[in-house]
């Protein structure tokens, strides 16, 4: 029998960028590119594009183990979702802004754009793991592919990218995802979208399936609250008391949100996230 030429296998899709910060492979872009203002989160003012005074020549933080005690709590709750190493090692091919100062301005412009793209990838990737969101999975996969393609664009294209329209389209899909997931919870769900709940006393509250998108929960008491399947996208959890709370199936909860909150060993969190070291 004559040999029949085999059909070439379809090329495997490019893997998604890593969506967790890898500081060892980043040129400390969050310590340089981004501005911060003197506040409870930062001890001093720093303009965008200026290295933090605590940044060392090896791109490491000189007070990394003492950030909270030194007045830089904001640094401990920031997460670039992997955009730092993507910008440093992929977009700019490992050329750092100190050795190649001509790259600095564009690198500092690209990093915030990639950070937004990586955040979108994080949310879309999570939505695709939720069985209840199956009706929008096809649209989510298309959005994922489009966003991932942008992360591989060159520096010039990224610097000129307006992420707004893409974010708006993806947000529509994330809203549908949230509605589908929360619809599985019986009974009437609380709607606190964008609500001012700063300092609210919600200890032991049943918030299963609640809409807490963009809610201000700063210093709120959520001890022992049940937040399973609650939508927490964009919720401000700075100093929120989550001791004993159940967030195991919370929707769109991020590591920066946990890092900004207060918890303890009895706080239940999704397995994909890490218990912050300052929780006691």
């Amino acid at each position: 029998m004559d040999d029949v030429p085999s059909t070439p296998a379809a090329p495997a899709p490019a893997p998604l960028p890593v969506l967790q910060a890898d500081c060892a492979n980043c040129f400390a872009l969050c310590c340089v590119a981004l501005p911060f203002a003197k506040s409870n989160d930062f001890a001093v003012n720093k303009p965008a594009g200026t290295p933090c005074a605590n940044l060392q020549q090896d791109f490491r933080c000189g007070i990394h183990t003492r950030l909270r005690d030194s007045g830089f709590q904001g640094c401990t709750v920031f997460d670039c979702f992997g955009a730092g190493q993507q910008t440093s090692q992929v977009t700019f091919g490992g050329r750092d802004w100190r050795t190649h100062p001509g790259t600095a301005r564009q690198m500092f412009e690209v990093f915030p754009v990639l950070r937004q793209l990586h955040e979108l990838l994080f949310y879309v990737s999570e939505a695709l793991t939720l069985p209840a969101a199956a009706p929008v999975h096809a649209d989510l996969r298309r959005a994922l592919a489009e966003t991932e393609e942008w992360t591989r664009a060159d520096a010039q294209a990224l610097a000129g990218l307006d992420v707004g329209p893409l974010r708006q389209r993806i947000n529509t899909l994330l809203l549908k995802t949230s509605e589908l997931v929360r619809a599985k919870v019986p009974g009437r769900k609380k709607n606190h979208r964008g609500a001012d709940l700063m300092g609210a006393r919600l200890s032991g509250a049943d918030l299963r399936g609640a809409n807490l998108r963009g809610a201000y929960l700063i210093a709120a008491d959520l001890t022992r609250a049940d937040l399973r399947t609650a939508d927490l996208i964009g919720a401000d959890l700075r100093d929120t008391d989550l001791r004993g709370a159940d967030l195991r199936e919370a929707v769109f909860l991020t590591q920066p949100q946990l890092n900004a909150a207060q918890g303890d060993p009895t706080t239940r969190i999704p397995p994909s996230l890490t218990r912050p070291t300052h929780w006691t």
Side-chain angles (χ1 to χ4, degrees), residues 203-218:
S203 179
D206 183 356
L207 293 169
R208 287 175 296 171
N211 185 349
L212 292 165
R213 294 172 67 91
Y216 295 94
L217 288 158
I218 301 169

Side-chain angles (χ1 to χ4, degrees), residues 51-92:
C52 175
N54 299 306
L55 184 63
Q56 301 177 137
Q57 287 298 312
D58 60 359
F59 300 112
R60 295 178 182 273
C61 175
I63 60 168
H64 180 70
T65 59
R66 297 179 283 110
L67 282 167
R68 285 181 174 271
D69 293 338
S70 302
F72 288 86
Q73 178 175 313
C75 297
T76 69
V77 303
F78 177 80
D79 194 314
C80 71
F81 295 96
Q85 68 262 23
Q86 182 78 10
T87 305
S88 302
Q89 303 300 333
V90 179
T91 311
F92 286 88

